[in-house]
Amino acid sequence: MDEKRKVIFSGIQPSGELTLGSYMGAIRNWVDLSGQYDCYYCIVDMHAITVRQNPAELRRRSISQLAQYIACGLDPEKNTLFIQSHVAEHAQLGWVLDCYTMFGELSRMTQFKDKSAKNAENINAGLFTYPSLMAADILLYQTDLVPVGSDQKQHVELSRDIALRFNGIYGDVFTIPEPFIPQAGARIMSLTTPQNKMSKSDKDPGGCIYILQKPEEILRCFKRAVTDSDTERCVRYDPEAKPGVSNLMQIYACATGKTFPEIEAEFDGKGYGDFKTAVGESVVELLRPIREKTEDLMKNKDYLSSILRSGAEKASRTASRTLRKVYKKVGFVER
Ligand code: TYM
């Protein structure tokens, strides 16, 4: 029965603290989907070193990220939770796929263009070939569905192209994955510059909300959130004309389950101040249990280590089957 379940793979880089954007764009859906699929949720530390990291911080954040995955509702008994660098097949398949990914394809990736603009002093080869390692992550598990925010759609589509190319040469080696982008929350914007994505690398501390942030700080950030300078001054969903208000509506919809018409009716005749306070409070209540559970879990490092051990073992079993097949197809001699 388990064998026939469809497979999900997704991951987040431990390159910063987890944000409300990654919760709403990704983790929330991981939790929703986790009952129906065979799920692999990864902490992609190898991707994180494409940008320089403080080693002690990277280690701490990787463990904390696991605790946050569990606190968000991912049951480690039902989902395979693991760290990418614990499963050597990711690097091994990544290299093979590098040889089936075109320079032109990688050059067109918007994340590469953005990150190389932001890290002009360190445009390393890993930053460039990042998407073929991501394809390896996905294809190793014969993944059907990849739940991500909309910024990762281009990478998942490239993974599909690489899989189709490889299958076209060698027969059906890889399942062809599909991106799964949520209806609401696919792209949460910065609270201070709503034309930019909310991002853990945001230089403006008020723009980004973190899952573990203290309630009073969260409330302060929402109170200071940029609304729009249009004369209408009403809560209405219109991302073009009212990017700030529309982003806050999106956050409120994700946090409360309310629809846009319901939100518009709720704040009809009220000012932006009331609205921002309500959004802030809804986020505080959404994140409170997650923060408390994470704090508890972080007191039990042995438990977290044991999950990482069994997650890596389970992931390795699946990944090694795919890698063996790939090595055989490309003509490597069996050891
Ligand atoms: P990363 O670490 O930047 O982001 C993790 C996930 O969170 C989503 N996300 C957002 N969604 C909505 N609004 C936002 N402001 C926001 N910010 C982040 C991202 O879309 C993503 O789903 N390359 C990936 C990590 C990765 C991966 C994989 C993902 C590596 N291998 C294999 C899926 C499958 C990344 O940089 O995500």
Side-chain angles (χ1 to χ4, degrees), residues 9-15 19-26 30 44 47 84 111 115 130 133-134 137-138 146-152 155-156 185-189 197-200:
F9 182 97
S10 198
I12 300 181
Q13 301 187 63
S15 52
T19 69
L20 184 65
S22 44
Y23 178 77
M24 293 188 159
W30 300 3
V44 289
H47 278 106
Q84 186 185 31
Q111 183 169 306
K115 285 204 174 174
Y130 178 114
L133 178 60
M134 177 157 160
D137 299 341
I138 295 169
V146 187
V148 284
S150 60
D151 63 320
Q152 293 300 316
H155 284 161
V156 180
R187 191 170 171 82
I188 301 293
M189 311 309 276
K197 188 187 76 163
M198 182 181 281
S199 158
K200 51 198 162 199

Side-chain angles (χ1 to χ4, degrees), residues 10-263:
S10 198
I12 300 181
Q13 301 187 63
S15 52
E17 300 298 330
L18 285 182
T19 69
L20 184 65
S22 44
Y23 178 77
M24 293 188 159
I27 303 175
R28 208 164 53 102
N29 296 300
W30 300 3
V31 176
D32 286 350
L33 295 164
S34 74
Q36 319 150 39
Y37 293 83
D38 186 11
C39 300
Y40 294 84
Y41 295 127
C42 191
I43 295 154
V44 289
D45 56 348
M46 289 159 62
H47 278 106
I49 63 162
T50 54
V51 172
R52 286 282 174 271
Q53 302 292 332
N54 172 313
E57 273 294 291
L58 182 62
R59 229 179 321 268
R60 183 194 62 74
R61 282 199 303 261
S62 300
I63 305 286
S64 167
Q65 195 165 308
L66 171 71
Q68 291 175 71
Y69 281 3
I70 301 170
C72 286
L74 294 172
D75 180 348
E77 299 290 323
K78 297 197 182 125
N79 302 280
T80 307
L81 308 180
F82 70 104
I83 292 185
Q84 186 185 31
S85 64
H86 287 182
V87 180
E89 285 83 358
H90 289 252
Q92 293 171 301
L93 182 62
W95 173 254
V96 175
L97 296 186
D98 273 347
C99 305
Y100 293 80
T101 310
M102 299 302 132
F103 183 88
E105 288 174 316
L106 293 171
S107 313
R108 284 193 290 277
M109 294 293 115
T110 49
Q111 183 169 306
F112 171 69
K113 291 187 211 164
D114 288 351
K115 285 204 174 174
S116 37
K118 279 190 194 148
N119 300 282
E121 74 301 336
N122 182 23
I123 306 176
N124 59 70
L127 197 60
F128 188 63
T129 62
Y130 178 114
S132 37
L133 178 60
M134 177 157 160
D137 299 341
I138 295 169
L139 302 180
L140 272 176
Y141 301 93
Q142 306 294 349
T143 301
D144 296 283
L145 218 55
V146 187
V148 284
S150 60
D151 63 320
Q152 293 300 316
K153 187 161 177 256
Q154 193 186 33
H155 284 161
V156 180
E157 281 167 354
L158 179 58
S159 303
R160 279 175 67 87
D161 293 344
I162 297 170
L164 285 167
R165 178 173 302 137
F166 198 91
N167 285 359
I169 305 171
Y170 301 108
D172 279 344
V173 178
F174 297 125
T175 302
I176 307 301
E178 297 267 359
F180 178 93
I181 316 278
Q183 295 278 347
R187 191 170 171 82
I188 301 293
M189 311 309 276
S190 157
L191 299 187
T192 48
T193 42
Q195 30 308 330
N196 299 335
K197 188 187 76 163
M198 182 181 281
S199 158
K200 51 198 162 199
S201 59
D202 199 340
K203 296 278 177 290
D204 179 354
C208 185
I209 301 292
Y210 299 96
I211 291 185
L212 298 183
Q213 209 167 351
K214 294 197 178 71
E216 46 296 2
E217 284 176 27
I218 296 178
L219 289 174
R220 200 173 327 122
C221 290
F222 277 98
K223 283 210 174 97
R224 290 189 189 154
V226 167
T227 42
D228 303 301
S229 51
D230 58 328
T231 48
E232 194 183 57
R233 309 292 298 167
C234 79
V235 174
R236 185 170 61 77
Y237 191 73
D238 182 348
E240 291 288 310
K242 297 161 84 78
V245 168
S246 302
N247 184 42
L248 292 171
M249 283 181 76
Q250 202 171 161
I251 294 173
Y252 194 57
C254 285
T256 60
K258 292 180 184 167
T259 63
F260 292 150
E262 283 167 350
I263 298 169

